[in-house]
Short mmCIF file of all heavy atoms in Angstrom, two decimals:
data_model
loop_
_atom_site.label_atom_id
_atom_site.label_comp_id
_atom_site.label_asym_id
_atom_site.label_seq_id
_atom_site.Cartn_x
_atom_site.Cartn_y
_atom_site.Cartn_z
N PHE A 163 -11.91 -10.62 14.24
CA PHE A 163 -11.43 -11.16 12.96
C PHE A 163 -11.93 -10.33 11.79
O PHE A 163 -11.15 -9.91 10.93
CB PHE A 163 -11.89 -12.62 12.81
CG PHE A 163 -11.66 -13.18 11.45
CD1 PHE A 163 -10.39 -13.58 11.05
CD2 PHE A 163 -12.71 -13.29 10.53
CE1 PHE A 163 -10.17 -14.08 9.77
CE2 PHE A 163 -12.50 -13.78 9.26
CZ PHE A 163 -11.23 -14.18 8.88
N LEU A 164 -13.24 -10.07 11.76
CA LEU A 164 -13.83 -9.31 10.65
C LEU A 164 -13.26 -7.90 10.61
O LEU A 164 -12.93 -7.37 9.54
CB LEU A 164 -15.35 -9.27 10.78
CG LEU A 164 -16.07 -10.60 10.51
CD1 LEU A 164 -17.56 -10.45 10.78
CD2 LEU A 164 -15.84 -11.06 9.07
N ALA A 165 -13.15 -7.28 11.78
CA ALA A 165 -12.67 -5.90 11.84
C ALA A 165 -11.24 -5.80 11.30
O ALA A 165 -10.95 -4.96 10.44
CB ALA A 165 -12.74 -5.38 13.27
N ALA A 166 -10.36 -6.68 11.78
CA ALA A 166 -8.95 -6.61 11.37
C ALA A 166 -8.80 -6.93 9.88
O ALA A 166 -8.06 -6.26 9.16
CB ALA A 166 -8.10 -7.55 12.21
N SER A 167 -9.52 -7.95 9.39
CA SER A 167 -9.38 -8.34 7.98
C SER A 167 -9.92 -7.25 7.06
O SER A 167 -9.26 -6.87 6.10
CB SER A 167 -10.16 -9.62 7.66
OG SER A 167 -9.99 -10.56 8.64
N LEU A 168 -11.11 -6.76 7.37
CA LEU A 168 -11.72 -5.78 6.47
C LEU A 168 -11.01 -4.43 6.55
O LEU A 168 -10.91 -3.72 5.56
CB LEU A 168 -13.22 -5.65 6.76
CG LEU A 168 -14.00 -6.94 6.45
CD1 LEU A 168 -15.45 -6.81 6.88
CD2 LEU A 168 -13.92 -7.30 4.97
N GLY A 169 -10.46 -4.11 7.74
CA GLY A 169 -9.67 -2.89 7.85
C GLY A 169 -8.42 -2.98 6.98
O GLY A 169 -8.06 -2.02 6.28
N ASP A 170 -7.78 -4.12 7.00
CA ASP A 170 -6.60 -4.37 6.16
C ASP A 170 -6.96 -4.21 4.69
O ASP A 170 -6.31 -3.48 3.93
CB ASP A 170 -6.10 -5.80 6.48
CG ASP A 170 -4.97 -6.25 5.58
OD1 ASP A 170 -4.99 -5.93 4.38
OD2 ASP A 170 -4.06 -6.96 6.06
N LEU A 171 -8.05 -4.85 4.26
CA LEU A 171 -8.49 -4.75 2.86
C LEU A 171 -8.84 -3.31 2.48
O LEU A 171 -8.52 -2.86 1.37
CB LEU A 171 -9.71 -5.63 2.63
CG LEU A 171 -9.46 -7.06 2.17
CD1 LEU A 171 -10.79 -7.76 1.94
CD2 LEU A 171 -8.63 -7.07 0.90
N ALA A 172 -9.47 -2.60 3.42
CA ALA A 172 -9.88 -1.22 3.13
C ALA A 172 -8.66 -0.36 2.83
O ALA A 172 -8.68 0.48 1.92
CB ALA A 172 -10.64 -0.64 4.32
N THR A 173 -7.56 -0.59 3.57
CA THR A 173 -6.34 0.17 3.33
C THR A 173 -5.88 0.01 1.89
O THR A 173 -5.56 0.99 1.21
CB THR A 173 -5.24 -0.31 4.30
OG1 THR A 173 -5.60 0.11 5.62
CG2 THR A 173 -3.89 0.27 3.94
N TYR A 174 -5.89 -1.23 1.42
CA TYR A 174 -5.42 -1.47 0.04
C TYR A 174 -6.43 -0.98 -0.99
O TYR A 174 -6.05 -0.57 -2.09
CB TYR A 174 -5.06 -2.95 -0.14
CG TYR A 174 -3.72 -3.25 0.48
CD1 TYR A 174 -3.60 -3.45 1.85
CD2 TYR A 174 -2.56 -3.24 -0.29
CE1 TYR A 174 -2.36 -3.67 2.43
CE2 TYR A 174 -1.32 -3.47 0.29
CZ TYR A 174 -1.22 -3.67 1.64
OH TYR A 174 0.01 -3.87 2.21
N GLY A 175 -7.71 -1.02 -0.63
CA GLY A 175 -8.73 -0.45 -1.51
C GLY A 175 -8.52 1.05 -1.69
O GLY A 175 -8.58 1.57 -2.80
N VAL A 176 -8.22 1.72 -0.57
CA VAL A 176 -8.01 3.17 -0.63
C VAL A 176 -6.76 3.49 -1.45
O VAL A 176 -6.77 4.42 -2.27
CB VAL A 176 -7.91 3.77 0.79
CG1 VAL A 176 -7.41 5.20 0.75
CG2 VAL A 176 -9.27 3.71 1.47
N THR A 177 -5.69 2.72 -1.28
CA THR A 177 -4.49 2.94 -2.09
C THR A 177 -4.83 2.84 -3.58
O THR A 177 -4.38 3.65 -4.39
CB THR A 177 -3.40 1.90 -1.75
OG1 THR A 177 -3.15 1.96 -0.36
CG2 THR A 177 -2.12 2.17 -2.50
N SER A 178 -5.65 1.85 -3.93
CA SER A 178 -6.03 1.67 -5.34
C SER A 178 -6.80 2.88 -5.83
O SER A 178 -6.57 3.36 -6.96
CB SER A 178 -6.90 0.41 -5.50
OG SER A 178 -6.25 -0.70 -4.95
N VAL A 179 -7.72 3.39 -5.01
CA VAL A 179 -8.49 4.58 -5.39
C VAL A 179 -7.56 5.78 -5.57
O VAL A 179 -7.66 6.54 -6.54
CB VAL A 179 -9.57 4.88 -4.33
CG1 VAL A 179 -10.20 6.25 -4.57
CG2 VAL A 179 -10.64 3.80 -4.34
N GLN A 180 -6.61 5.93 -4.62
CA GLN A 180 -5.69 7.07 -4.70
C GLN A 180 -4.89 7.05 -6.00
O GLN A 180 -4.74 8.08 -6.66
CB GLN A 180 -4.73 7.04 -3.51
CG GLN A 180 -5.40 7.39 -2.19
CD GLN A 180 -4.52 7.11 -0.99
OE1 GLN A 180 -3.70 6.18 -1.01
NE2 GLN A 180 -4.68 7.89 0.06
N LEU A 181 -4.40 5.86 -6.37
CA LEU A 181 -3.61 5.77 -7.59
C LEU A 181 -4.48 5.96 -8.83
O LEU A 181 -4.06 6.58 -9.81
CB LEU A 181 -2.88 4.42 -7.64
CG LEU A 181 -1.66 4.34 -6.73
CD1 LEU A 181 -1.16 2.91 -6.60
CD2 LEU A 181 -0.54 5.22 -7.26
N ALA A 182 -5.71 5.43 -8.78
CA ALA A 182 -6.60 5.57 -9.94
C ALA A 182 -7.01 7.02 -10.14
O ALA A 182 -7.16 7.48 -11.27
CB ALA A 182 -7.84 4.69 -9.75
N LEU A 183 -7.18 7.77 -9.04
CA LEU A 183 -7.50 9.19 -9.15
C LEU A 183 -6.34 9.95 -9.79
O LEU A 183 -6.55 10.86 -10.60
CB LEU A 183 -7.78 9.78 -7.76
CG LEU A 183 -9.16 9.50 -7.15
CD1 LEU A 183 -9.20 9.99 -5.70
CD2 LEU A 183 -10.26 10.17 -7.96
N ALA A 184 -5.12 9.58 -9.40
CA ALA A 184 -3.95 10.29 -9.91
C ALA A 184 -3.60 9.87 -11.33
O ALA A 184 -3.11 10.67 -12.12
CB ALA A 184 -2.76 10.05 -8.98
N PHE A 185 -3.83 8.60 -11.63
CA PHE A 185 -3.45 8.07 -12.95
C PHE A 185 -4.62 7.36 -13.62
O PHE A 185 -4.60 6.14 -13.78
CB PHE A 185 -2.27 7.10 -12.79
CG PHE A 185 -1.06 7.73 -12.17
CD1 PHE A 185 -0.75 7.52 -10.83
CD2 PHE A 185 -0.23 8.56 -12.92
CE1 PHE A 185 0.36 8.11 -10.24
CE2 PHE A 185 0.89 9.15 -12.34
CZ PHE A 185 1.18 8.93 -11.00
N PRO A 186 -5.64 8.13 -14.06
CA PRO A 186 -6.78 7.49 -14.72
C PRO A 186 -6.34 6.84 -16.03
O PRO A 186 -5.37 7.28 -16.66
CB PRO A 186 -7.74 8.65 -14.96
CG PRO A 186 -6.94 9.89 -14.81
CD PRO A 186 -5.78 9.57 -13.94
N ASP A 187 -7.05 5.80 -16.39
CA ASP A 187 -6.73 5.05 -17.59
C ASP A 187 -7.07 5.87 -18.83
O ASP A 187 -8.08 6.57 -18.85
CB ASP A 187 -7.56 3.76 -17.57
CG ASP A 187 -6.89 2.66 -18.35
OD1 ASP A 187 -5.73 2.34 -18.01
OD2 ASP A 187 -7.51 2.14 -19.27
N ALA A 188 -6.22 5.78 -19.87
CA ALA A 188 -6.47 6.54 -21.10
C ALA A 188 -7.82 6.14 -21.70
O ALA A 188 -8.58 6.99 -22.16
CB ALA A 188 -5.34 6.30 -22.09
N ALA A 189 -8.12 4.84 -21.68
CA ALA A 189 -9.38 4.37 -22.27
C ALA A 189 -10.49 4.29 -21.23
O ALA A 189 -11.58 4.82 -21.42
CB ALA A 189 -9.15 3.01 -22.92
N GLY A 190 -10.20 3.64 -20.10
CA GLY A 190 -11.25 3.35 -19.12
C GLY A 190 -11.45 4.41 -18.05
O GLY A 190 -12.31 4.25 -17.19
N GLY A 191 -10.65 5.50 -18.08
CA GLY A 191 -10.80 6.55 -17.08
C GLY A 191 -10.50 6.06 -15.68
O GLY A 191 -9.72 5.11 -15.48
N PHE A 192 -11.15 6.68 -14.70
CA PHE A 192 -10.92 6.34 -13.30
C PHE A 192 -11.27 4.88 -13.02
O PHE A 192 -10.49 4.15 -12.41
CB PHE A 192 -11.75 7.27 -12.40
CG PHE A 192 -11.82 6.83 -10.97
CD1 PHE A 192 -10.74 7.01 -10.12
CD2 PHE A 192 -12.97 6.21 -10.48
CE1 PHE A 192 -10.79 6.59 -8.80
CE2 PHE A 192 -13.04 5.78 -9.16
CZ PHE A 192 -11.94 5.97 -8.32
N THR A 193 -12.44 4.46 -13.50
CA THR A 193 -12.89 3.10 -13.21
C THR A 193 -11.93 2.07 -13.80
O THR A 193 -11.58 1.08 -13.14
CB THR A 193 -14.31 2.85 -13.79
OG1 THR A 193 -15.07 4.03 -13.61
CG2 THR A 193 -14.97 1.69 -13.11
N GLY A 194 -11.51 2.31 -15.03
CA GLY A 194 -10.59 1.38 -15.68
C GLY A 194 -9.31 1.26 -14.89
O GLY A 194 -8.77 0.15 -14.68
N ALA A 195 -8.78 2.41 -14.42
CA ALA A 195 -7.54 2.40 -13.64
C ALA A 195 -7.75 1.71 -12.30
O ALA A 195 -6.90 0.95 -11.83
CB ALA A 195 -7.04 3.83 -13.44
N LEU A 196 -8.92 1.97 -11.70
CA LEU A 196 -9.22 1.37 -10.39
C LEU A 196 -9.21 -0.15 -10.48
O LEU A 196 -8.66 -0.84 -9.62
CB LEU A 196 -10.57 1.88 -9.88
CG LEU A 196 -10.98 1.37 -8.49
CD1 LEU A 196 -9.97 1.80 -7.45
CD2 LEU A 196 -12.37 1.86 -8.12
N VAL A 197 -9.82 -0.67 -11.55
CA VAL A 197 -9.85 -2.12 -11.74
C VAL A 197 -8.42 -2.67 -11.82
O VAL A 197 -8.10 -3.69 -11.21
CB VAL A 197 -10.67 -2.49 -13.01
CG1 VAL A 197 -10.51 -3.96 -13.34
CG2 VAL A 197 -12.13 -2.13 -12.80
N LYS A 198 -7.57 -1.94 -12.56
CA LYS A 198 -6.18 -2.39 -12.70
C LYS A 198 -5.42 -2.38 -11.37
O LYS A 198 -4.78 -3.35 -11.00
CB LYS A 198 -5.44 -1.47 -13.69
CG LYS A 198 -5.55 -1.87 -15.13
CD LYS A 198 -4.46 -1.16 -15.89
CE LYS A 198 -4.90 -0.84 -17.32
NZ LYS A 198 -4.02 0.17 -17.94
N PHE A 199 -5.51 -1.25 -10.66
CA PHE A 199 -4.76 -1.13 -9.41
C PHE A 199 -5.32 -2.07 -8.34
O PHE A 199 -4.56 -2.68 -7.58
CB PHE A 199 -4.78 0.32 -8.89
CG PHE A 199 -3.89 1.23 -9.68
CD1 PHE A 199 -4.41 2.30 -10.40
CD2 PHE A 199 -2.52 1.01 -9.73
CE1 PHE A 199 -3.59 3.13 -11.14
CE2 PHE A 199 -1.68 1.85 -10.46
CZ PHE A 199 -2.23 2.91 -11.18
N ALA A 200 -6.65 -2.20 -8.31
CA ALA A 200 -7.24 -3.12 -7.34
C ALA A 200 -6.83 -4.56 -7.67
O ALA A 200 -6.66 -5.39 -6.78
CB ALA A 200 -8.76 -2.99 -7.33
N GLY A 201 -6.66 -4.83 -8.97
CA GLY A 201 -6.20 -6.15 -9.39
C GLY A 201 -4.83 -6.46 -8.80
O GLY A 201 -4.53 -7.60 -8.44
N VAL A 202 -3.98 -5.44 -8.72
CA VAL A 202 -2.65 -5.62 -8.13
C VAL A 202 -2.74 -5.73 -6.61
O VAL A 202 -2.24 -6.66 -5.99
CB VAL A 202 -1.72 -4.45 -8.52
CG1 VAL A 202 -0.44 -4.48 -7.70
CG2 VAL A 202 -1.40 -4.50 -10.00
N PHE A 203 -3.40 -4.73 -5.99
CA PHE A 203 -3.36 -4.62 -4.53
C PHE A 203 -4.39 -5.50 -3.83
O PHE A 203 -4.05 -6.31 -2.97
CB PHE A 203 -3.59 -3.17 -4.10
CG PHE A 203 -2.39 -2.30 -4.27
CD1 PHE A 203 -2.41 -1.19 -5.09
CD2 PHE A 203 -1.21 -2.59 -3.59
CE1 PHE A 203 -1.30 -0.38 -5.25
CE2 PHE A 203 -0.10 -1.79 -3.72
CZ PHE A 203 -0.15 -0.68 -4.56
N ALA A 204 -5.66 -5.31 -4.19
CA ALA A 204 -6.73 -5.92 -3.40
C ALA A 204 -6.71 -7.45 -3.50
O ALA A 204 -6.84 -8.14 -2.49
CB ALA A 204 -8.08 -5.36 -3.83
N LEU A 205 -6.53 -7.97 -4.72
CA LEU A 205 -6.54 -9.43 -4.89
C LEU A 205 -5.43 -10.07 -4.07
O LEU A 205 -5.64 -11.04 -3.36
CB LEU A 205 -6.36 -9.80 -6.36
CG LEU A 205 -7.63 -9.80 -7.21
CD1 LEU A 205 -7.30 -10.34 -8.60
CD2 LEU A 205 -8.70 -10.65 -6.56
N THR A 206 -4.22 -9.51 -4.20
CA THR A 206 -3.08 -10.05 -3.44
C THR A 206 -3.37 -10.02 -1.95
O THR A 206 -2.97 -10.90 -1.20
CB THR A 206 -1.83 -9.20 -3.73
OG1 THR A 206 -1.58 -9.24 -5.13
CG2 THR A 206 -0.62 -9.72 -2.99
N GLN A 207 -4.12 -8.99 -1.55
CA GLN A 207 -4.31 -8.76 -0.12
C GLN A 207 -5.31 -9.71 0.52
O GLN A 207 -5.25 -9.91 1.74
CB GLN A 207 -4.74 -7.30 0.10
CG GLN A 207 -4.46 -6.77 1.48
CD GLN A 207 -2.98 -6.76 1.80
OE1 GLN A 207 -2.15 -6.76 0.90
NE2 GLN A 207 -2.64 -6.80 3.06
N VAL A 208 -6.22 -10.29 -0.27
CA VAL A 208 -7.31 -11.07 0.34
C VAL A 208 -6.81 -12.15 1.31
O VAL A 208 -7.18 -12.14 2.49
CB VAL A 208 -8.26 -11.65 -0.73
CG1 VAL A 208 -9.22 -12.64 -0.11
CG2 VAL A 208 -9.03 -10.51 -1.41
N PRO A 209 -5.92 -13.07 0.87
CA PRO A 209 -5.48 -14.08 1.83
C PRO A 209 -4.69 -13.48 2.99
O PRO A 209 -4.79 -13.96 4.13
CB PRO A 209 -4.59 -15.01 1.00
CG PRO A 209 -4.28 -14.28 -0.25
CD PRO A 209 -5.36 -13.30 -0.48
N LEU A 210 -3.94 -12.41 2.72
CA LEU A 210 -3.13 -11.81 3.78
C LEU A 210 -4.03 -11.13 4.82
O LEU A 210 -3.73 -11.14 6.02
CB LEU A 210 -2.14 -10.79 3.20
CG LEU A 210 -1.22 -11.37 2.12
CD1 LEU A 210 -0.21 -10.32 1.67
CD2 LEU A 210 -0.50 -12.60 2.62
N ALA A 211 -5.15 -10.58 4.34
CA ALA A 211 -6.09 -9.96 5.27
C ALA A 211 -6.72 -11.01 6.17
O ALA A 211 -6.91 -10.78 7.36
CB ALA A 211 -7.17 -9.20 4.49
N VAL A 212 -7.00 -12.18 5.60
CA VAL A 212 -7.55 -13.27 6.41
C VAL A 212 -6.53 -13.67 7.48
O VAL A 212 -6.86 -13.80 8.66
CB VAL A 212 -7.92 -14.48 5.53
CG1 VAL A 212 -8.32 -15.67 6.39
CG2 VAL A 212 -9.05 -14.12 4.57
#
Side-chain angles (χ1 to χ4, degrees):
Chain A
F163 170 77
L164 289 176
S167 317
L168 294 175
D170 174 322
L171 268 183
T173 291
Y174 282 80
V176 168
T177 304
S178 306
V179 169
Q180 288 169 329
L181 283 168
L183 281 172
F185 301 102
D187 207 57
F192 168 76
T193 321
L196 182 61
V197 171
K198 272 198 212 164
F199 286 117
V202 169
F203 283 119
L205 276 186
T206 301
Q207 203 62 22
V208 170
L210 304 184
V212 173

